[in-house]
Amino acid sequence: MASRPSWTLVVEDRFGTVTDEYVFDAGELVVGRSRQCDVVLPSENVSREHARLSVEEGRLFVEDAGSSNGLWVGADRIEERTELRDGDVVKVGDFHLRVKGGRPANEARVVHARLVGRSSGAMDQTLEVIESTTLVGRGRDCGLVLVDPSVSRVHSRLLVRPDGTVLVEDVSSANGLFVNDKRVKVWQLSGGDRVRFGSVEFLVELPGSSTIQMRAQSSRFRKWLGAALPWALGLGGLATLVVLLAVFLPRLRSQPEGPEPAPRSTATASFAVSPEPSKPAAPASDPGALQRARALFAGRRMDEARKEVAVVLAQEPANVEAVRLMNRLELEGLAAAALGDADLALAGGRIEEAVQDLFSVPLDSGYAGDAKARMRTLLPHLDRARSQACSGRGSTTFPCIRWTALKAKVEAASR
């Protein structure tokens, strides 16, 4: 008998912090502000009973339970009962409910990557990356839980892109994310990479890749070679000296004095030094590809720039400049996506969500100027929200304080 699909509901607050997680495969969950609800979301813009989630024959549905501020799935406000799928995001007030799962437990899983523990705190741990998003940290709501003081509660996240590549991203951790001992914000993982969360290190293994085995064998060979090389050189030098003495010493003793022997014929000499046929040279990468990629990157033609860099990496996987440029393109892609999400949130009247998206754009990104410009357009909206929250109830109420602080934060960042 096939098992029922299991669903997971990950709850994030308005700052993107995971606050709870619910796993269920049947029945109904009531979401709201009331303590009687199954999923309690303590916020003034969440109704006492805001929404209902129900599972019927393995399918997950959500419906508005008569809320005051509405229910959203992605960028769309829903008025009727709606089916949810893996990866959907339901917005309830200030909270985001991320939907994961919907596959039977015995269904074949696609393993996108494996993280194999290397450091003392993770030697017995192996994580198989099968979800589109996996949180890494100390919190119990993370997919990879690391009990180590150097690891933040939610330290990083692993993201599987549509093409199957895996990104690792720092989620404002205290002690940083490192790939091959280099601190990074976002990085595309490759087989054999060493990824470290704080001081806990893992080795990356990609399906079908022999990189780990090759690196292990290469490491053992280097250790053996380092120990044997001095002896080999010494014995080789001694053997060479013995051979030279055995060949030339008798000739030196028996060579008669007299005129020098006649030189060899020109034909023989010519034959002796004739060059071997030249071998065809290995194809080299296009020297102008990186230059074109940089020009496309400067013009924000990101997809075309990625294609140029991909050509270089296909021929020279160890090209440092190409790897750096590809990682920068990945960062800029995430920044552009954040700007798009902010525009959608603003169009839907979700001001705080738009602010959160804009603050996720790195300051060293080429899109930082666009993010600041959008923040300036948000200021009138924030001013209206603040005036509405503070009028008639005084400046000491929680909504008034919250909107005042948010407006000040956006004003400072938009300068």
Side-chain angles (χ1 to χ4, degrees), residues 326-349:
M326 182 62 84
N327 286 322
R328 183 61 188 272
L329 284 166
E330 296 296 342
L331 273 174
E332 295 300 302
L334 293 172
L339 284 177
D341 292 342
D343 291 338
L344 288 174
L346 181 57

Side-chain angles (χ1 to χ4, degrees), residues 250-266:
R251 293 185 181 182
L252 291 173
R253 287 178 176 175
S254 61
Q255 184 176 3
E257 296 182 1
E260 295 183 359
R264 295 181 181 180
S265 67
T266 306

Side-chain angles (χ1 to χ4, degrees), residues 50-200:
H50 200 110
R52 292 188 184 90
L53 292 104
S54 56
V55 177
E56 296 179 9
E57 298 181 353
R59 299 165 65 190
L60 180 62
F61 296 88
V62 65
E63 60 183 321
D64 197 320
S67 66
S68 301
N69 296 316
L71 184 66
W72 304 77
V73 176
D76 302 319
R77 180 168 181 169
I78 63 169
E79 306 290 345
E80 300 177 350
R81 193 164 181 259
T82 302
E83 183 175 0
L84 298 175
R85 292 177 173 80
D86 181 30
D88 282 344
V89 179
V90 180
K91 187 172 185 301
V92 179
D94 288 333
F95 292 85
H96 292 83
L97 312 181
R98 298 190 179 273
V99 177
K100 296 166 59 178
R103 295 184 297 272
N106 60 352
E107 184 177 297
R109 301 181 306 167
V110 177
V111 178
H112 302 283
R114 289 184 182 87
L115 301 187
V116 182
R118 282 173 55 95
S119 58
S120 57
M123 277 300 185
D124 298 329
Q125 287 186 277
T126 298
L127 169 69
E128 291 187 339
V129 180
I130 58 175
E131 303 291 348
S132 58
T133 302
T134 303
L135 297 178
V136 180
R138 250 188 9 254
R140 65 180 179 84
D141 43 11
C142 294
L144 176 57
V145 179
L146 303 177
V147 184
D148 189 278
S150 68
V151 178
S152 300
R153 196 180 70 80
V154 179
H155 195 104
S156 300
R157 65 165 61 95
L158 295 160
L159 305 169
V160 180
R161 301 171 67 197
D163 61 359
T165 55
V166 182
L167 301 180
V168 62
E169 178 186 10
D170 192 345
V171 188
S172 303
S173 65
N175 294 311
L177 169 68
F178 298 82
V179 177
N180 300 327
D181 297 324
K182 176 184 177 182
R183 185 162 186 167
V184 298
K185 176 63 179 174
V186 180
W187 195 268
Q188 180 177 321
L189 295 176
S190 302
D193 279 346
R194 291 175 291 107
V195 57
R196 177 158 51 88
F197 310 98
S199 60
V200 182

Side-chain angles (χ1 to χ4, degrees), residues 232-248:
L233 290 175
L235 291 174
L238 182 60
T240 302
L241 180 61
V242 170
V243 171
L244 290 174
L245 290 174
V247 172
F248 290 105

Side-chain angles (χ1 to χ4, degrees), residues 18 36 49 92 109 136 166 191 201 267 349 353 380 396:
V18 176
Q36 305 303 318
E49 286 192 7
V92 179
R109 301 181 306 167
V136 180
V166 182
E201 187 172 88
E353 184 179 336
T396 58

